[in-house]
């Protein structure tokens, strides 16, 4: 819900919440000030903790999220290529093994990108400094891009109209 790195989320305290119902924090990695609006689910969760969310070590979080993902049946085999030692190798493993704290951050960015939110607005939440690095970061497929273009064509009245 926040697009924050776990290291930044673990630094949140009451002082980071504004009267406008946003989280305002200077990120540790890029030292960029980000301001993120609270959605209903996050607000409800934070009220349970009196706006002092519990801290969790990244390693512990990653073990837990993998276990929860496996229990939830997120186990389709994912195959990807990686360059190692100048050679391309193919790796296949269950999806739950690939999920980590950073997956939520990428999912946030990709979800809102696919919903049509501007890259500049999403980058203001994630703290990315360049659109080039942001576009490498999101996981939009060629199909996602085609859907975005189709929606644009429909919105502008340029879409295909078959008789």
């Amino acid at each position: 819900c926040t697009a924050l790195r776990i290291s930044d989320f673990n630094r949140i305290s009451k002082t980071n919440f504004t009267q406008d119902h946003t989280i305002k924090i200077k990120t540790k990695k890029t030292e960029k000030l980000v301001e993120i609006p609270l959605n209903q689910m996050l607000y409800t969760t934070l009220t349970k903790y009196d706006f002092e969310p519990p801290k969790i070590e990244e390693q512990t979080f990653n073990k837990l999220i993998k276990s929860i993902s496996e229990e939830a049946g997120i186990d389709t085999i994912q195959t990807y290529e990686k360059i190692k030692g100048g050679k391309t190798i193919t790796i296949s493993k269950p999806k739950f093994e690939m999920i980590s704290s950073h997956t939520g951050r990428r999912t946030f960015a990709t979800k809102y990108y696919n919903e049509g939110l501007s890259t500049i607005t999403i980058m203001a939440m994630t703290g990315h400094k360049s659109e080039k690095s942001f576009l490498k970061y999101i996981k939009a497929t060629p199909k996602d891009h085609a859907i975005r273009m189709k929606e644009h064509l429909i919105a502008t009245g340029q879409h295909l109209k078959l008789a």
Side-chain angles (χ1 to χ4, degrees), residues 63-79:
K63 284 180 184 176
L64 288 171
I65 198 68
K66 282 173 177 34
S67 176
I68 291 165
S69 298
E70 182 179 20
E71 286 180 36
I74 304 173
D75 57 4
T76 57
I77 301 299
Q78 299 293 298
T79 302

Side-chain angles (χ1 to χ4, degrees), residues 5-11 28 53-66 100-102:
R5 291 174 186 86
I6 195 163
S7 59
D8 293 321
F9 191 82
N10 277 333
R11 294 177 33 245
K28 196 173 181 179
K55 313 302 181 218
I56 186 169
E57 291 295 321
E58 185 173 1
Q59 191 174 17
T60 302
F61 180 92
N62 287 338
K63 284 180 184 176
L64 288 171
I65 198 68
K66 282 173 177 34
S100 70
S101 65
H102 213 69

Side-chain angles (χ1 to χ4, degrees), residues 27-130:
T27 62
K28 196 173 181 179
K29 182 177 178 181
T30 63
E31 296 187 349
K32 187 171 182 183
L33 182 67
V34 297
E35 190 164 354
I36 303 156
L38 302 179
N39 66 23
Q40 188 62 54
M41 181 176 65
L42 181 57
Y43 181 81
T44 301
T45 303
L46 289 168
T47 57
K48 290 178 186 177
Y49 296 100
D50 193 30
F51 292 87
E52 293 284 350
K55 313 302 181 218
I56 186 169
E57 291 295 321
E58 185 173 1
Q59 191 174 17
T60 302
F61 180 92
N62 287 338
K63 284 180 184 176
L64 288 171
I65 198 68
K66 282 173 177 34
S67 176
I68 291 165
S69 298
E70 182 179 20
E71 286 180 36
I74 304 173
D75 57 4
T76 57
I77 301 299
Q78 299 293 298
T79 302
Y80 62 97
E81 292 182 344
K82 184 177 180 179
I83 298 175
K84 193 172 184 177
K87 293 183 179 183
T88 302
I89 58 171
T90 302
I91 300 170
S92 296
K93 57 172 116 176
K95 194 169 192 171
F96 70 85
E97 288 182 14
M98 300 166 64
I99 295 173
S100 70
S101 65
H102 213 69
T103 304
R105 194 168 143 74
R106 284 184 178 267
T107 301
F108 177 100
T110 304
K111 174 188 184 300
Y112 287 110
Y113 176 80
N114 287 340
E115 289 179 3
L117 202 59
S118 76
T119 55
I120 301 302
T121 299
I122 302 166
M123 288 168 55
M125 307 295 124
T126 63
H128 281 91
K129 292 182 179 181
S130 78

